[in-house]
Amino acid sequence: MPEALAPPKIDGFKLEGRMTGKAEDMANALRGVSFLKVAKEKTAVSAANIESRDISKNPYTFSIIRFDKDSIDVMYTVPPSVSPTRRRIDIIRHLLNTLTLVAGYYEADPKLILQLLEQTVKEIEDYATNDYKQLYATYDSMRREVETLRRNYSIMKKQVTSLSRENYDLKNENDELRVKLEGLQGMSDGVLKSKIQDWVIDHGGQMVVPEFSRVYKVPEARVEQLLDELVKGGFLEIVQ
């Protein structure tokens, strides 16, 4: 179910004027505009412009211009979602258009029309200035955010470059170690036997198989097998 609209505000203004023709003729001239609801009184004519209705079909956004014998009364609604200044500008424009329809039957004071136009221009300038200020404030805020994002991006880019360099160095070290490991794992039995003999000499006749296996990256079982062959071949002697 649609939500009920918040009630609009009521505003209006009054101008001096003078009816120069018959009210009936004036009403007929206004009835030529399809969207106007015209009501004729004895000495006055009213023209209502209903722009929108609420969920109950009641007029919501609308204006009423009442042409009396010596004055023009304008009453209109201002929805919460519409700027009062913008709404007033629209109503003044509507009034001027309506005055052209009844030009042969009604006259408004030219000085008042001029004042109304000057006031309209000022309101337009104020409205535009406020919009510009708000737009510039939004732009300035967004510009600062973009600058912050650029700085953060620059920092992140440097960090990524640094990490990439470190990753590259680590990869090179890993490749070197892998090559060394593959080289050690690929040593022949003769080379390993020589390494075992050198180890025993360097360590005062001691042989710790797990340590040797860790240093040269070869299985302990293979070290023990070659060590046994060296002992049996008389190249090493086990001291009790």
CSV table of all heavy atoms in Angstrom, one decimal, residues 95-131:
chain,number,residue,atom,x,y,z
A,95,LEU,N,1.6,32.6,-13.0
A,95,LEU,CA,0.7,33.8,-12.9
A,95,LEU,C,0.9,34.6,-14.1
A,95,LEU,O,-0.1,35.1,-14.7
A,95,LEU,CB,1.1,34.5,-11.6
A,95,LEU,CG,0.4,35.9,-11.5
A,95,LEU,CD1,-1.1,35.8,-11.5
A,95,LEU,CD2,1.0,36.7,-10.3
A,96,LEU,N,2.1,34.8,-14.6
A,96,LEU,CA,2.4,35.7,-15.7
A,96,LEU,C,1.8,35.1,-17.0
A,96,LEU,O,1.2,35.8,-17.8
A,96,LEU,CB,3.9,35.9,-15.9
A,96,LEU,CG,4.6,36.7,-14.8
A,96,LEU,CD1,6.1,36.7,-15.0
A,96,LEU,CD2,4.1,38.1,-14.7
A,97,ASN,N,1.8,33.8,-17.1
A,97,ASN,CA,1.2,33.1,-18.3
A,97,ASN,C,-0.3,33.3,-18.2
A,97,ASN,O,-1.0,33.5,-19.2
A,97,ASN,CB,1.5,31.6,-18.3
A,97,ASN,CG,3.0,31.4,-18.6
A,97,ASN,OD1,3.6,32.2,-19.3
A,97,ASN,ND2,3.5,30.2,-18.2
A,98,THR,N,-0.9,33.2,-17.0
A,98,THR,CA,-2.3,33.4,-16.9
A,98,THR,C,-2.8,34.8,-17.2
A,98,THR,O,-3.8,35.0,-17.8
A,98,THR,CB,-2.8,33.0,-15.4
A,98,THR,OG1,-2.3,31.6,-15.1
A,98,THR,CG2,-4.3,33.0,-15.3
A,99,LEU,N,-1.9,35.8,-16.8
A,99,LEU,CA,-2.3,37.2,-17.0
A,99,LEU,C,-2.3,37.4,-18.5
A,99,LEU,O,-3.1,38.3,-19.0
A,99,LEU,CB,-1.2,38.1,-16.4
A,99,LEU,CG,-1.4,38.3,-14.9
A,99,LEU,CD1,-0.2,39.1,-14.3
A,99,LEU,CD2,-2.7,39.1,-14.6
A,100,THR,N,-1.5,36.7,-19.3
A,100,THR,CA,-1.6,36.9,-20.8
A,100,THR,C,-2.9,36.4,-21.3
A,100,THR,O,-3.4,36.9,-22.4
A,100,THR,CB,-0.4,36.2,-21.5
A,100,THR,OG1,-0.5,34.8,-21.2
A,100,THR,CG2,0.9,36.7,-21.0
A,101,LEU,N,-3.5,35.4,-20.7
A,101,LEU,CA,-4.8,34.9,-21.1
A,101,LEU,C,-6.0,35.9,-20.9
A,101,LEU,O,-6.9,35.9,-21.7
A,101,LEU,CB,-5.1,33.6,-20.4
A,101,LEU,CG,-4.2,32.4,-20.7
A,101,LEU,CD1,-4.5,31.2,-19.8
A,101,LEU,CD2,-4.2,32.0,-22.1
A,102,VAL,N,-5.8,36.7,-19.9
A,102,VAL,CA,-6.9,37.6,-19.5
A,102,VAL,C,-6.5,39.1,-19.8
A,102,VAL,O,-7.1,40.0,-19.2
A,102,VAL,CB,-7.4,37.4,-18.1
A,102,VAL,CG1,-7.9,36.0,-17.8
A,102,VAL,CG2,-6.2,37.7,-17.1
A,103,ALA,N,-5.6,39.2,-20.7
A,103,ALA,CA,-5.0,40.6,-20.9
A,103,ALA,C,-6.1,41.6,-21.4
A,103,ALA,O,-6.1,42.8,-21.0
A,103,ALA,CB,-3.9,40.5,-21.9
A,104,GLY,N,-7.2,41.1,-22.0
A,104,GLY,CA,-8.2,42.0,-22.5
A,104,GLY,C,-9.3,42.3,-21.5
A,104,GLY,O,-10.2,43.1,-21.7
A,105,TYR,N,-9.2,41.6,-20.3
A,105,TYR,CA,-10.3,41.7,-19.3
A,105,TYR,C,-9.8,42.1,-18.0
A,105,TYR,O,-10.5,42.5,-17.1
A,105,TYR,CB,-11.0,40.4,-19.2
A,105,TYR,CG,-11.4,39.8,-20.5
A,105,TYR,CD1,-10.6,38.7,-21.0
A,105,TYR,CD2,-12.4,40.2,-21.3
A,105,TYR,CE1,-10.9,38.1,-22.2
A,105,TYR,CE2,-12.7,39.7,-22.5
A,105,TYR,CZ,-12.0,38.6,-23.0
A,105,TYR,OH,-12.3,38.0,-24.2
A,106,TYR,N,-8.4,42.1,-17.8
A,106,TYR,CA,-7.9,42.4,-16.5
A,106,TYR,C,-6.5,43.0,-16.6
A,106,TYR,O,-5.7,42.6,-17.5
A,106,TYR,CB,-7.8,41.1,-15.7
A,106,TYR,CG,-7.7,41.3,-14.2
A,106,TYR,CD1,-8.8,41.3,-13.4
A,106,TYR,CD2,-6.5,41.6,-13.5
A,106,TYR,CE1,-8.8,41.5,-12.0
A,106,TYR,CE2,-6.4,41.9,-12.2
A,106,TYR,CZ,-7.6,41.8,-11.4
A,106,TYR,OH,-7.5,42.1,-10.1
A,107,GLU,N,-6.3,44.0,-15.8
A,107,GLU,CA,-5.0,44.7,-15.8
A,107,GLU,C,-4.3,44.6,-14.4
A,107,GLU,O,-5.0,44.8,-13.4
A,107,GLU,CB,-5.2,46.2,-16.2
A,107,GLU,CG,-5.6,46.4,-17.7
A,107,GLU,CD,-5.7,47.8,-18.0
A,107,GLU,OE1,-5.6,48.7,-17.1
A,107,GLU,OE2,-6.0,48.1,-19.2
A,108,ALA,N,-3.0,44.4,-14.4
A,108,ALA,CA,-2.3,44.4,-13.2
A,108,ALA,C,-1.4,45.6,-13.3
A,108,ALA,O,-1.0,46.1,-14.3
A,108,ALA,CB,-1.4,43.1,-13.1
A,109,ASP,N,-1.1,46.2,-12.1
A,109,ASP,CA,-0.3,47.4,-12.0
A,109,ASP,C,1.1,47.1,-12.6
A,109,ASP,O,1.8,46.2,-12.1
A,109,ASP,CB,-0.1,47.8,-10.6
A,109,ASP,CG,0.5,49.2,-10.4
A,109,ASP,OD1,1.3,49.6,-11.3
A,109,ASP,OD2,0.3,49.9,-9.4
A,110,PRO,N,1.5,47.8,-13.7
A,110,PRO,CA,2.9,47.5,-14.3
A,110,PRO,C,4.0,47.6,-13.3
A,110,PRO,O,5.0,46.9,-13.4
A,110,PRO,CB,3.0,48.6,-15.4
A,110,PRO,CG,1.6,49.0,-15.7
A,110,PRO,CD,0.8,48.9,-14.4
A,111,LYS,N,3.9,48.6,-12.3
A,111,LYS,CA,5.0,48.7,-11.4
A,111,LYS,C,5.1,47.5,-10.5
A,111,LYS,O,6.2,47.0,-10.2
A,111,LYS,CB,4.8,49.9,-10.5
A,111,LYS,CG,4.9,51.3,-11.2
A,111,LYS,CD,4.6,52.4,-10.3
A,111,LYS,CE,4.8,53.8,-11.0
A,111,LYS,NZ,4.5,54.9,-10.1
A,112,LEU,N,3.9,46.9,-10.1
A,112,LEU,CA,3.9,45.7,-9.3
A,112,LEU,C,4.5,44.5,-10.1
A,112,LEU,O,5.1,43.7,-9.5
A,112,LEU,CB,2.5,45.4,-8.8
A,112,LEU,CG,1.9,46.5,-7.9
A,112,LEU,CD1,0.5,46.2,-7.5
A,112,LEU,CD2,2.8,46.7,-6.6
A,113,ILE,N,4.1,44.5,-11.4
A,113,ILE,CA,4.6,43.4,-12.2
A,113,ILE,C,6.1,43.5,-12.3
A,113,ILE,O,6.8,42.5,-12.2
A,113,ILE,CB,4.0,43.5,-13.6
A,113,ILE,CG1,2.5,43.2,-13.6
A,113,ILE,CG2,4.7,42.5,-14.6
A,113,ILE,CD1,2.2,41.8,-13.2
A,114,LEU,N,6.7,44.7,-12.5
A,114,LEU,CA,8.1,44.9,-12.5
A,114,LEU,C,8.8,44.5,-11.2
A,114,LEU,O,9.8,43.8,-11.2
A,114,LEU,CB,8.4,46.4,-12.8
A,114,LEU,CG,9.9,46.7,-12.9
A,114,LEU,CD1,10.6,45.9,-14.0
A,114,LEU,CD2,10.1,48.2,-13.2
A,115,GLN,N,8.1,44.9,-10.1
A,115,GLN,CA,8.7,44.5,-8.8
A,115,GLN,C,8.7,43.0,-8.6
A,115,GLN,O,9.6,42.4,-8.1
A,115,GLN,CB,7.9,45.1,-7.7
A,115,GLN,CG,8.0,46.6,-7.6
A,115,GLN,CD,7.1,47.2,-6.5
A,115,GLN,OE1,6.4,46.5,-5.8
A,115,GLN,NE2,7.2,48.6,-6.4
A,116,LEU,N,7.6,42.4,-9.1
A,116,LEU,CA,7.5,40.9,-9.1
A,116,LEU,C,8.6,40.2,-9.9
A,116,LEU,O,9.2,39.3,-9.5
A,116,LEU,CB,6.1,40.5,-9.6
A,116,LEU,CG,5.7,39.0,-9.4
A,116,LEU,CD1,5.7,38.6,-8.0
A,116,LEU,CD2,4.3,38.8,-10.1
A,117,LEU,N,8.8,40.8,-11.1
A,117,LEU,CA,9.9,40.3,-11.9
A,117,LEU,C,11.2,40.4,-11.3
A,117,LEU,O,12.1,39.5,-11.3
A,117,LEU,CB,9.8,41.0,-13.3
A,117,LEU,CG,8.6,40.6,-14.2
A,117,LEU,CD1,8.7,41.5,-15.4
A,117,LEU,CD2,8.7,39.2,-14.6
A,118,GLU,N,11.5,41.6,-10.7
A,118,GLU,CA,12.8,41.8,-10.0
A,118,GLU,C,12.9,40.9,-8.9
A,118,GLU,O,14.0,40.3,-8.6
A,118,GLU,CB,12.8,43.3,-9.6
A,118,GLU,CG,13.0,44.3,-10.7
A,118,GLU,CD,13.0,45.7,-10.2
A,118,GLU,OE1,12.6,46.0,-9.0
A,118,GLU,OE2,13.4,46.6,-11.0
A,119,GLN,N,11.9,40.7,-8.1
A,119,GLN,CA,11.9,39.8,-7.0
A,119,GLN,C,12.2,38.4,-7.5
A,119,GLN,O,12.9,37.6,-6.9
A,119,GLN,CB,10.6,39.8,-6.2
A,119,GLN,CG,10.6,38.9,-5.0
A,119,GLN,CD,9.3,39.0,-4.3
A,119,GLN,OE1,8.3,39.7,-4.7
A,119,GLN,NE2,9.2,38.2,-3.2
A,120,THR,N,11.6,38.0,-8.6
A,120,THR,CA,11.8,36.7,-9.2
A,120,THR,C,13.2,36.5,-9.6
A,120,THR,O,13.8,35.5,-9.3
A,120,THR,CB,10.9,36.5,-10.4
A,120,THR,OG1,9.5,36.7,-10.1
A,120,THR,CG2,11.0,35.1,-11.0
A,121,VAL,N,13.8,37.5,-10.3
A,121,VAL,CA,15.2,37.4,-10.7
A,121,VAL,C,16.1,37.3,-9.5
A,121,VAL,O,17.0,36.4,-9.5
A,121,VAL,CB,15.6,38.7,-11.5
A,121,VAL,CG1,17.1,38.7,-11.7
A,121,VAL,CG2,14.8,38.7,-12.8
A,122,LYS,N,15.8,38.0,-8.4
A,122,LYS,CA,16.6,37.9,-7.2
A,122,LYS,C,16.5,36.5,-6.6
A,122,LYS,O,17.5,36.0,-6.1
A,122,LYS,CB,16.2,39.0,-6.2
A,122,LYS,CG,17.1,39.0,-4.9
A,122,LYS,CD,16.7,40.1,-4.0
A,122,LYS,CE,17.7,40.2,-2.8
A,122,LYS,NZ,17.8,38.9,-2.1
A,123,GLU,N,15.3,36.0,-6.5
A,123,GLU,CA,15.1,34.7,-6.0
A,123,GLU,C,15.8,33.6,-6.8
A,123,GLU,O,16.4,32.7,-6.3
A,123,GLU,CB,13.6,34.4,-5.8
A,123,GLU,CG,12.9,35.2,-4.8
A,123,GLU,CD,11.5,34.9,-4.6
A,123,GLU,OE1,11.0,34.1,-5.4
A,123,GLU,OE2,10.8,35.4,-3.7
A,124,ILE,N,15.7,33.9,-8.1
A,124,ILE,CA,16.4,32.9,-9.0
A,124,ILE,C,17.9,33.0,-8.8
A,124,ILE,O,18.6,31.9,-8.7
A,124,ILE,CB,16.1,33.2,-10.5
A,124,ILE,CG1,14.7,32.9,-10.8
A,124,ILE,CG2,17.1,32.5,-11.4
A,124,ILE,CD1,14.2,33.3,-12.2
A,125,GLU,N,18.5,34.2,-8.6
A,125,GLU,CA,19.9,34.3,-8.4
A,125,GLU,C,20.3,33.7,-7.0
A,125,GLU,O,21.3,33.0,-6.9
A,125,GLU,CB,20.3,35.8,-8.4
A,125,GLU,CG,20.2,36.5,-9.7
A,125,GLU,CD,20.5,38.0,-9.7
A,125,GLU,OE1,20.5,38.5,-8.6
A,125,GLU,OE2,20.8,38.6,-10.8
A,126,ASP,N,19.5,34.0,-6.0
A,126,ASP,CA,19.7,33.4,-4.7
A,126,ASP,C,19.7,31.8,-4.8
A,126,ASP,O,20.5,31.1,-4.2
A,126,ASP,CB,18.7,33.9,-3.7
A,126,ASP,CG,18.9,35.4,-3.4
A,126,ASP,OD1,20.0,35.9,-3.7
A,126,ASP,OD2,18.0,36.0,-2.8
A,127,TYR,N,18.6,31.4,-5.5
A,127,TYR,CA,18.5,29.9,-5.6
A,127,TYR,C,19.6,29.3,-6.4
A,127,TYR,O,20.2,28.3,-5.9
A,127,TYR,CB,17.2,29.7,-6.4
A,127,TYR,CG,16.8,28.2,-6.6
A,127,TYR,CD1,16.3,27.5,-5.5
A,127,TYR,CD2,17.1,27.6,-7.8
A,127,TYR,CE1,16.0,26.1,-5.7
A,127,TYR,CE2,16.8,26.2,-8.0
A,127,TYR,CZ,16.2,25.5,-6.9
A,127,TYR,OH,15.9,24.2,-7.1
A,128,ALA,N,20.1,30.0,-7.5
A,128,ALA,CA,21.2,29.5,-8.2
A,128,ALA,C,22.5,29.5,-7.4
A,128,ALA,O,23.3,28.6,-7.5
A,128,ALA,CB,21.3,30.3,-9.5
A,129,THR,N,22.6,30.6,-6.7
A,129,THR,CA,23.9,30.8,-5.9
A,129,THR,C,23.9,29.7,-4.8
A,129,THR,O,25.0,29.1,-4.6
A,129,THR,CB,23.9,32.2,-5.2
A,129,THR,OG1,23.8,33.2,-6.2
A,129,THR,CG2,25.1,32.4,-4.4
A,130,ASN,N,22.8,29.5,-4.1
A,130,ASN,CA,22.8,28.4,-3.1
A,130,ASN,C,23.1,27.1,-3.7
A,130,ASN,O,23.8,26.3,-3.2
A,130,ASN,CB,21.4,28.4,-2.4
A,130,ASN,CG,21.2,29.6,-1.5
A,130,ASN,OD1,22.2,30.2,-1.1
A,130,ASN,ND2,20.0,30.0,-1.3
A,131,ASP,N,22.5,26.8,-4.9
A,131,ASP,CA,22.7,25.6,-5.6
A,131,ASP,C,24.2,25.4,-6.0
A,131,ASP,O,24.8,24.4,-5.8
A,131,ASP,CB,21.9,25.4,-6.8
A,131,ASP,CG,20.5,24.9,-6.5
A,131,ASP,OD1,20.2,24.6,-5.3
A,131,ASP,OD2,19.7,24.7,-7.4
